Amino acid sequence: KAMICIREASLGPNFGMKGGAAGGGYAQVVPMEDMNLHFTGDFHAITSAHALLSAMIDNHVYWGNDAEIDTRRIVWRRVVDMNDRSLRQITSSLGGVANGFAREDGFDITVASEVMAILCLASDLKDLEDRLGSMIVAYRRDRSPVFCRDIKAEGAMTVLLKDAMQPNLVQTLENNPAFVHGGPFANIAHGCNSVIATKTALKLADYVVTEAGFGADLGAEKFMNIKCRKAGIAPSAVVIVATVRAMKMNGGVAKADLGAENVDAVKAGCPNLGRHIENVKSFGVPVVVAINHFVTDTDAEVQAVKDFVAENGAEAVLSRHWELGSEGSADLARKVVETIEKGEANFKPIYPDEMSLFEKIETIAKKIYRADEVIADKKIRDQLKSWEEQGYGNLPVCMAKTQYSFSTDPTQRGAPTGHSVPVREVRLSAGAGFVVVVCGEIMTMPGLP
């Protein structure tokens, strides 16, 4: 018995660059159009809970500010589940005394909200409420933190999230049960479905297949270092999904020319896949590569990927699930089961809890991205140090980085080395239990194409 656990779709990518999140062809979770739009309203509940806290912070200041919030240091931004670049940086509370104290503000997309991360990492309603209460919303003039529980918002927020906490049960086109729950992006958030859904599925099925977003340098790294660490779970095997088109693109082919056969470009792009294989193996988990088949792929191109993967100590299996459904991925399924039954998995995150925050950032940058250095100015280093002094040093880090490259430059394809990782800002998600590290030109509120 097998079951899948995937993330819910955000309206942002649906109307933006990425499209829906229910699969495609004969490998699809249904009802696809409902899932890709409002589904069961989980994201609206998260947006409302987040908005309630935003309103309560400004209301607290309006009615006398007992918590002594420094309005210049409110770190709780607003959210909306839509790509709206004009809201990234705004001024709120204009219009005089009745509307409160004017201040700078801004919006992120709902999936980047700490409330989303908490919903996906909480083990039950009580844990959810505790984590919400631990979120830092602002700082006082003496730089001491003001928590959500100081505003007394966590109880009401939990009530708004009580139904959203339940995993949503749907099915694939071939009637496999599927949990679709939670949806943090993997480039700006931690990129995994909820712990509750995954753990429930583990009780119900023999095999649980789950996913983590974007490249394995983002999704897999966060799945292992954040989700597995926090939930106390360990993967038995990892399937890295590759396409011939992606190999060509990493080999320097322009998007418009990806349909034409080009075995040399496939070979030139394969080192990108090789690095992902190496990275995932460094967590002590065996790897199978699935070649997600496109009609334009030629036999020679597919063979080039298979040969490369074999040289890198793994096996690549052609998977034609889009075209043929389960029949097209049966070989892949058998290979995964065979890999799991060898019992070789010895999972371990790549850094310990007690390592300093900056060293954790460096470990990911050097081991996973193959960077030479992390560039962070004194202000950022001091901020990390002060969080360590406040007792947050044992948290994992959540890297916010482009999904298009191992580096922070989206145009650097393949397997670049010798690059630097610039850290633009760091944000403490004390409730979710990680530090967000914003690298390069990454946006927590995307725009529309």
Side-chain angles (χ1 to χ4, degrees):
K1 290 188 176 69
M3 193 165 179
I4 67 162
C5 292
I6 59 174
R7 289 169 295 160
E8 297 179 55
S10 159
L11 293 178
N14 272 313
F15 295 111
M17 290 281 284
K18 299 180 208 133
Y26 283 107
Q28 202 177 117
V29 178
V30 287
M32 182 260 279
E33 60 286 356
D34 296 331
M35 285 174 53
N36 281 335
L37 293 170
H38 305 281
F39 201 23
T40 56
D42 291 349
F43 284 23
H44 299 307
I46 289 166
T47 306
S48 297
H50 187 111
L52 175 70
L53 179 54
S54 298
M56 286 179 72
I57 292 164
D58 286 317
N59 192 53
H60 182 90
V61 174
Y62 179 84
W63 288 109
N65 197 5
D66 289 347
E68 296 174 8
I69 291 170
D70 182 346
T71 52
R72 301 163 305 173
R73 293 197 174 95
I74 294 174
V75 291
W76 189 254
R77 289 160 58 84
R78 293 174 145 81
V79 298
V80 62
D81 191 33
M82 189 52 66
N83 298 349
D84 195 347
R85 66 170 67 80
S86 61
L87 292 177
R88 281 174 190 157
Q89 208 64 43
I90 64 165
T91 310
S92 61
S93 303
L94 296 179
V97 176
N99 298 346
F101 295 83
R103 65 179 183 88
E104 271 194 60
D105 207 341
F107 278 78
D108 294 326
I109 191 158
T110 295
V111 288
S113 166
E114 188 176 351
V115 179
M116 171 67 83
I118 287 173
L119 182 94
C120 290
L121 291 169
S123 51
D124 52 42
L125 271 178
K126 182 77 191 89
D127 185 40
L128 178 81
E129 186 173 1
D130 290 345
R131 285 171 179 268
L132 291 171
S134 298
M135 296 188 301
I136 292 173
V137 298
Y139 291 88
R140 299 179 180 88
R141 280 183 172 248
D142 65 3
R143 305 292 174 93
S144 62
V146 179
F147 296 97
C148 171
R149 58 176 169 262
D150 298 327
I151 309 293
K152 299 184 173 55
E154 74 276 25
M157 292 173 77
T158 304
V159 172
L160 283 175
L161 294 169
K162 70 177 173 56
D163 294 326
M165 268 296 273
Q166 306 291 345
N168 308 297
L169 180 64
V170 286
Q171 61 183 325
T172 69
L173 287 174
E174 298 186 23
N175 314 112
N176 299 98
F179 275 143
V180 181
H181 195 219
F185 289 170
N187 54 346
I188 54 180
H190 79 282
C192 309
N193 76 294
S194 76
V195 167
I196 280 197
T198 305
K199 283 191 158 177
T200 307
L202 284 166
K203 288 178 184 171
L204 298 172
D206 303 316
Y207 294 93
V208 176
V209 180
T210 187
E211 50 82 45
F214 290 130
D217 54 316
L218 288 165
E221 183 270 308
K222 293 170 185 181
F223 178 83
M224 311 280 205
N225 280 326
I226 299 174
K227 180 174 176 176
C228 291
R229 183 195 304 263
K230 295 282 177 193
I233 54 177
S236 308
V238 170
V239 177
I240 296 177
V241 182
T243 61
V244 165
R245 289 166 61 87
M247 295 305 98
K248 285 188 207 171
M249 208 161 185
N250 276 296
V253 175
K255 198 173 180 181
D257 305 325
L258 292 176
E261 181 177 69
N262 191 336
V263 178
D264 290 341
V266 171
K267 288 178 178 170
C270 274
N272 177 275
L273 175 58
R275 181 170 294 176
H276 285 303
I277 294 170
E278 218 175 282
N279 282 349
V280 173
K281 281 184 172 176
S282 72
F283 288 95
V285 184
V287 170
V288 178
V289 174
I291 305 171
N292 185 2
H293 184 258
F294 279 65
V295 287
T296 51
D297 300 349
T298 66
D299 293 345
E301 289 173 329
V302 170
Q303 197 54 50
V305 178
K306 285 185 172 178
D307 293 345
F308 176 85
V309 172
E311 285 162 24
N312 280 262
E315 192 177 327
V317 184
L318 187 66
S319 189
R320 296 171 66 184
H321 49 277
W322 186 88
E323 177 189 5
L324 301 170
S326 62
E327 191 191 329
S329 58
D331 290 347
L332 173 65
R334 286 190 198 99
K335 183 69 204 168
V336 171
V337 170
E338 182 191 312
T339 305
I340 289 170
E341 283 177 354
K342 282 183 190 157
E344 289 170 0
N346 184 19
F347 167 71
K348 194 165 177 280
I350 59 165
Y351 56 78
D353 289 343
E354 50 279 1
M355 188 184 262
S356 77
L357 292 171
F358 192 72
E359 282 178 306
K360 287 170 184 166
I361 298 168
E362 281 189 320
T363 300
I364 293 171
K366 289 176 179 174
K367 282 193 176 173
I368 303 291
Y369 310 155
R370 305 296 201 281
D372 279 358
E373 59 174 353
V374 174
I375 301 169
D377 62 26
K378 185 175 181 303
K379 187 176 145 200
I380 285 169
R381 289 169 191 255
D382 289 349
Q383 179 68 83
L384 294 171
K385 280 205 181 75
S386 84
W387 287 336
E388 283 167 359
E389 283 158 16
Q390 290 165 33
Y392 296 111
N394 62 342
L395 297 183
V397 292
C398 180
M399 308 293 279
K401 180 187 83 72
T402 178
Q403 65 269 35
Y404 296 116
S405 171
F406 274 108
S407 74
T408 55
D409 173 3
T411 62
Q412 275 209 315
R413 301 273 156 77
T417 53
H419 54 97
S420 306
V421 173
V423 175
R424 204 177 77 235
E425 66 166 310
V426 285
R427 299 177 183 175
L428 174 58
S429 295
F434 51 67
V435 172
V436 180
V437 182
V438 184
C439 305
E441 289 302 307
I442 195 81
M443 294 288 180
T444 47
M445 168 56 92
L448 289 166

